Amino acid sequence: MTIEDAIAIVDAALQGKRLSNIQEQLFRQTWEGKTYAEIAETCGYDSSYIRDVGYRLWQMLTKGFGERVTKHNLQVVVRSHAKRLMGNVTSMSQPITSPLVALSNPHIEVIAKDGNTKRCDWGNAIDTSIFYGRTQELAQVKNWVISDRCRLLGVFGIGGIGKTAFATKLAEQVQGEFTLIAWRSLRNAPKVETMLSELVSFLTNQAISTLPQDFNSLLLMFIQALQQSRCLIVLDNVESILRSGETTGHYSEGYEGYGELFREVGQVRHQSCLILTSREKPADVLPPDSSDRMVRSLQLTGLKEEARQMFREELAIAPETRKLIDFYRGNPLALTVVSRSIYSMFDGNVQEFLDQEANVFGDIRNLIDQQYARLSDLEQQVMYWLAIEREPITTDNLRQDIVPMVSKSQILESVISLRWRSLIEKNMNSFTQQPVVMEYMTDRLIDVVYNSMIERNPEFLMSYALVQHRAEDYIRETQIRQILQPLTDRLLAHYGSTDILQRELQSLMQTLRDRQTAIGYAQGNIMNLLRASQSDLTKSFCRFPEQVTEHSDLQILERLLESDRAGGLATWDHRIPWANNPLAQQTSESKTQIRSKNLYYQWPEGSLEQLQQELKQQSKLRKKYHAWLNETEFAEIDANFEAVKITDTLNQPVDARLVFINEVNVIEPPIGLPTPSDRRAQVRKKKQEMQANRNKRLG
């Protein structure tokens, strides 16, 4: 007997009740002979909790089978019950399947009502006898299914939000409108042909062995079944067949047939409904604001005040519980895990739990780990930056953060995808993360930076700023407290002393200076870590008084001094009044040498004038340009420019530009492009020719 057969026998014995997810996991692993400790480690729970679940499961099975069930006699009891069930199957008045098929599918219910036969195969749908809230969402979706006769319905949301429970409750409430009901999980990613064979077998009352094997024939039979009868089909965990490492909606290789299946169900006329649940939206399901009434989608959000019902009475009425619900955004799974921890570790004291400031752990971390692992590289970058920014940010500002620069369409595509994964929230025209997701991403950022520092690999440090000096004071203070300080503490614990840590940081700084390409945010990050390891952070990162005017020289100078990027201040007559330390260190030149440069010869002819015109039309911009770094190296430079005014020694205003460099890549110059020395020589020659002509006219 297989484990699937055993679970089928258990479901039949429980007569309508179904095992919960954790009960099914415990049953499967007990069947395989694992101990409670091994099961707890596999599932990520405490051994005591798993033992308690087992105790209640054996009691439930004892009642269902009518004889005592324990962990040690489980297989004996199930096999014995299976033999008795085999003897009863042949006496069924309704010949829905062969005896063997009936035994392996005891989920199937046959109900005769008003002369019509109704068949339900609930598969491994969960028990929803305990269900909180969702009254408005259920009413809305029931209207779509019953009144609008919706053909394809997608229910989406972050892991643990209750999609499976919602779809089950919906199916239970509308089942009276359908004659055939089938529930299937795609968690183990069955091939589309396998899934269609099972569904067609149930819908047409034929054995799987008699059905065709090719996809097109099975799809045709499936659509015909939806046309001939009013069918309700639920496919749970659709994200299992979607591709990871890309934006949402793309099917894994070999699973593209599901896309065709969903398209056919949505487009072809029939009288049935297919419900999908997923953490990600497949490409073939329309967004909620679509006008198509045949294809609908619902983005599930967390529970509101009704989430209090999930706690014991003393916790439900506690004022601190509101903080819990807000922090976890009403996620039922997260709140279940947290409430269990509050009772087992903090004796029911919510505030004591909150004071730990360690809110992402166990199943909650595993849940977000799973979703993070499916993100594309750019989606991961966006997630890191949203955690750094701490507050809602527009896509334009988000694009300014990312190094190297990406296109507006790429940013927009990633943000839309992250919204469909329910990992970010929209606030007006800006985007941010749920508190629990932000804490997870902050922890992950610190972990990755810490490992990068230990391994002396500065690549990650180049892409993200740990502290942003252009941010508002309270944001910057939060970045210091939540990111820089914990990272510094971990590094000090690793190296054992401030002196050793500073030597390592200085050594890494020298490694960066030896690089041939840009260093992004890395140098600023290391400088911040050096300051954080030896001084009071609040004083070290304080700004000049707020009464300094926006366009004063002092404030511009402050921005240069505190910037974590290479940069400087330049006038349009090619002088460099100021350059910051990162620029001097990156170019291996002193500030005096940099300030003595004449920028006119560094830029290709005409390009500096073009930039000046662009800044007249738009005072702040980011662009890539080409310039000579020195006499031999030509580069593509990604920089932010800002038009500013400074005051000269005569107290007269002078137009200038503030420059912050994001990335520098040395490239081959265009063939025939004059070098700075060539241009200087051309200018000298031109001056000599003009002087010669003048002398000739005078002579």
Side-chain angles (χ1 to χ4, degrees), residues 220-235:
L220 178 61
M221 293 183 70
F222 180 71
I223 295 298
Q224 288 175 343
L226 300 187
Q227 293 170 333
Q228 293 168 4
S229 302
R230 181 95 160 113
C231 309
L232 178 65
I233 313 294
V234 181
L235 296 183

Side-chain angles (χ1 to χ4, degrees), residues 604-622:
E605 190 171 2
S607 54
L608 195 57
E609 292 81 357
Q610 179 184 350
L611 174 64
Q612 186 174 11
Q613 292 301 316
E614 290 174 349
L615 282 174
K616 286 181 179 179
Q617 299 173 5
Q618 184 179 351
S619 62
K620 294 181 181 180
L621 60 86
R622 178 176 176 177

Side-chain angles (χ1 to χ4, degrees), residues 399-414:
R399 181 169 172 258
Q400 296 295 320
D401 285 335
I402 294 176
V403 174
M405 181 186 290
V406 296
S407 68
K408 289 184 178 180
S409 60
Q410 287 175 304
I411 282 288
L412 190 59
E413 181 182 357
S414 295

Side-chain angles (χ1 to χ4, degrees), residues 519 523 527 560 563-567 580-587:
I519 57 178
Q523 202 153 5
M527 291 171 64
L560 282 169
S563 175
D564 47 17
R565 288 178 290 174
N580 63 7
N581 277 327
L583 183 58
Q585 292 159 350
Q586 183 174 324
T587 57

Side-chain angles (χ1 to χ4, degrees), residues 509-561:
M509 184 83 81
Q510 185 58 50
T511 301
L512 290 171
R513 292 169 184 164
D514 295 338
R515 294 177 66 94
Q516 294 298 311
T517 57
I519 57 178
Y521 296 101
Q523 202 153 5
N525 287 332
I526 295 173
M527 291 171 64
N528 286 336
L529 286 166
L530 280 167
R531 297 164 73 185
S533 65
Q534 63 186 351
S535 61
D536 178 82
L537 287 180
T538 305
K539 294 179 181 177
S540 176
F541 287 84
C542 68
R543 297 171 67 93
F544 286 106
E546 292 185 0
Q547 62 263 30
V548 174
T549 60
E550 182 180 356
H551 295 294
S552 70
D553 294 356
L554 185 57
Q555 180 133 348
I556 293 172
L557 176 59
E558 171 211 347
R559 291 173 61 187
L560 282 169
L561 290 173

